[in-house]
Amino acid sequence: FPFVINTWGGPFTPATDAAYLSLTSRTPPLSAISAVEIGCSTCERNQCDGSVGFGGSPDENCETTLDAMIMDGTTLKSGAVAGLRRIRDAISVARHVLEHTSHSLLAGDLATQFAVENGFAEEDLSTAESRAACEVWKEGNCQGNYRVGVRPDAGRACGPYVPVESGGGGLDRGVVGERQASHDTISMIVIDREGVMAAGTSTNGAAHKVPGRVGDGPIVGSGSYVDGDVGGCGATGDGDVMMRFLPCYQAVENLRLGMTPDEAAEDVVRRMVRKYPNVASGIVVVNNKGEYGGAASGWTFTYSVRGGGMGETKVVTVPPIE
């Protein structure tokens, strides 16, 4: 200890370093939950891979909205924002929900109102690049998108759309889920010098999503989860599928049952793959001793880790399970 682990390498490693250094280079060192906030906010500012923070993943209306969650591993209290509009600092607003309300989740325009009341500045989250990307998507007949069972055919044309009755109660049991156009997320778990744990998640969600869509990131037990008595988990992938399994809650419970971190991660990935063979997922797990592992499906996944006296962040590559 201290110890930091998060989804993805590459542009996500500065977040690992920022969180780790907040625990080692300050006197007194910051708390685990502050380290999570610093790590995730670093990714938000850096617009990690275009999938975290402002200016990424515009929805059908070309607007970027944000999802974030932060969780205390001692009390199991959490704070989250979903569909946050016009506020850049999603993970910090989530922490305000945790520390200044008795709620767990605020959403949409009223989450924005809460943020403004707490001193955060409203601003346009779009950029010239995100607007241009959205226009290119529209010029390409809005492919791909997340509409199903509508007219005109969403596989060929833009909306506005109207629903078409399927005759099956609205559920096509032959559909096992389509891959999302984008689904990167930073999910981070921190252990401070005293062994106190915290976790957090931040993302701008799926590109070209239906306005109002909320992914797995701000959902406790899905995007991340931590119980300091046992360990923590972070997740990334096809969020609309993954949230059906609460994979991070399950992974931590697997640790409680005696599984190693690698076994705990692989078990939750296999649970998802059995129902959705094409799901893209990446899971990182660490127990409260600092032992860690990961598993993935549908892609080659990477995660970043730094702990103890490590002079730099290590990136671990995880092939998809067979």
Side-chain angles (χ1 to χ4, degrees), residues 8 12 48-52 55-59 64-65 67 133 137 143-146 178-185 203-210 213-216 236-242 280-281 299:
W8 301 114
F12 292 74
C48 283
D49 201 33
S51 63
V52 180
S57 302
D59 63 19
T64 294
T65 56
D67 298 337
W137 175 73
Q143 305 303 299
N145 64 59
Y146 299 96
E178 296 297 325
R179 292 287 295 274
Q180 291 181 194
S182 67
H183 34 49
D184 289 355
T185 298
T203 181
N204 54 33
H208 317 307
K209 60 195 172 192
V210 177
R213 180 263 188 184
V214 172
D216 64 324
T236 183
D238 293 338
D240 292 292
V241 171
M242 294 177 70
S281 69
W299 55 12

Side-chain angles (χ1 to χ4, degrees), residues 89-322:
D89 309 300
I91 192 70
S92 296
V93 180
R95 184 172 181 180
H96 272 65
V97 175
L98 169 65
E99 295 186 341
H100 301 293
T101 81
S102 57
H103 300 313
S104 296
L105 175 64
L106 300 180
D109 279 330
L110 296 178
T112 300
Q113 178 181 315
F114 171 82
V116 171
E117 290 170 352
N118 282 269
F120 293 89
E122 281 194 78
E123 55 188 300
D124 188 355
L125 299 187
S126 297
T127 61
E129 293 78 10
S130 68
R131 292 188 187 95
C134 190
E135 291 305 318
V136 168
W137 175 73
K138 289 181 177 179
E139 291 167 3
N141 294 321
C142 303
Q143 305 303 299
N145 64 59
Y146 299 96
R147 304 281 184 165
V148 295
V150 295
R151 189 173 55 244
D153 182 355
R156 298 182 180 181
C158 296
Y161 302 105
V162 294
V164 176
E165 290 297 328
S166 66
L171 179 63
D172 182 350
R173 296 189 180 277
V175 175
V176 294
E178 296 297 325
R179 292 287 295 274
Q180 291 181 194
S182 67
H183 34 49
D184 289 355
T185 298
I186 183 166
S187 289
M188 175 178 284
I189 309 102
V190 165
I191 312 176
D192 73 10
R193 288 185 183 276
E194 305 303 320
V196 176
M197 300 188 73
T201 303
S202 184
T203 181
N204 54 33
H208 317 307
K209 60 195 172 192
V210 177
R213 180 263 188 184
V214 172
D216 64 324
I219 307 303
V220 175
S222 191
S224 58
Y225 191 78
V226 61
D227 181 341
D229 293 338
V230 185
C233 166
T236 183
D238 293 338
D240 292 292
V241 171
M242 294 177 70
M243 71 169 72
R244 302 166 192 174
F245 296 84
L246 292 179
C248 275
Y249 176 79
Q250 182 63 56
V252 172
E253 289 306 296
N254 286 347
L255 293 178
R256 200 185 308 273
L257 293 171
M259 293 187 191
T260 68
D262 275 322
E263 291 169 343
E266 182 172 332
D267 173 74
V268 298
V269 169
R270 291 194 181 279
R271 287 169 184 260
M272 294 186 287
V273 168
R274 280 195 289 269
K275 286 284 188 179
Y276 297 93
N278 297 322
V279 64
S281 69
I283 304 290
V284 293
V285 179
V286 58
N287 64 24
N288 62 358
K289 301 175 184 177
E291 298 166 337
Y292 61 89
S297 64
W299 55 12
T300 297
F301 171 57
T302 62
Y303 64 86
S304 299
V305 60
R306 189 171 179 182
M310 293 172 63
E312 61 182 15
T313 289
K314 173 185 176 182
V315 176
V316 180
T317 299
V318 181
I321 64 170
E322 296 296 330

Side-chain angles (χ1 to χ4, degrees), residues 6-123:
N6 57 265
T7 52
W8 301 114
F12 292 74
T13 58
T16 321
D17 291 331
Y20 177 82
L21 292 174
S22 76
L23 297 168
T24 59
S25 63
R26 302 195 187 195
T27 305
L30 297 185
S31 66
I33 207 148
S34 291
V36 168
E37 180 184 9
I38 287 171
C40 289
S41 65
T42 298
C43 239
E44 292 172 350
R45 289 193 304 271
N46 293 352
Q47 301 170 279
C48 283
D49 201 33
S51 63
V52 180
F54 70 99
S57 302
D59 63 19
E60 288 182 346
N61 293 337
C62 299
E63 181 181 4
T64 294
T65 56
L66 306 179
D67 298 337
M69 188 267 284
I70 195 164
M71 185 172 185
D72 177 9
T74 301
T75 64
L76 304 190
K77 290 182 179 179
S78 63
V81 288
L84 181 68
R85 306 178 71 192
R86 305 183 299 280
I87 303 289
R88 286 195 182 194
D89 309 300
I91 192 70
S92 296
V93 180
R95 184 172 181 180
H96 272 65
V97 175
L98 169 65
E99 295 186 341
H100 301 293
T101 81
S102 57
H103 300 313
S104 296
L105 175 64
L106 300 180
D109 279 330
L110 296 178
T112 300
Q113 178 181 315
F114 171 82
V116 171
E117 290 170 352
N118 282 269
F120 293 89
E122 281 194 78
E123 55 188 300

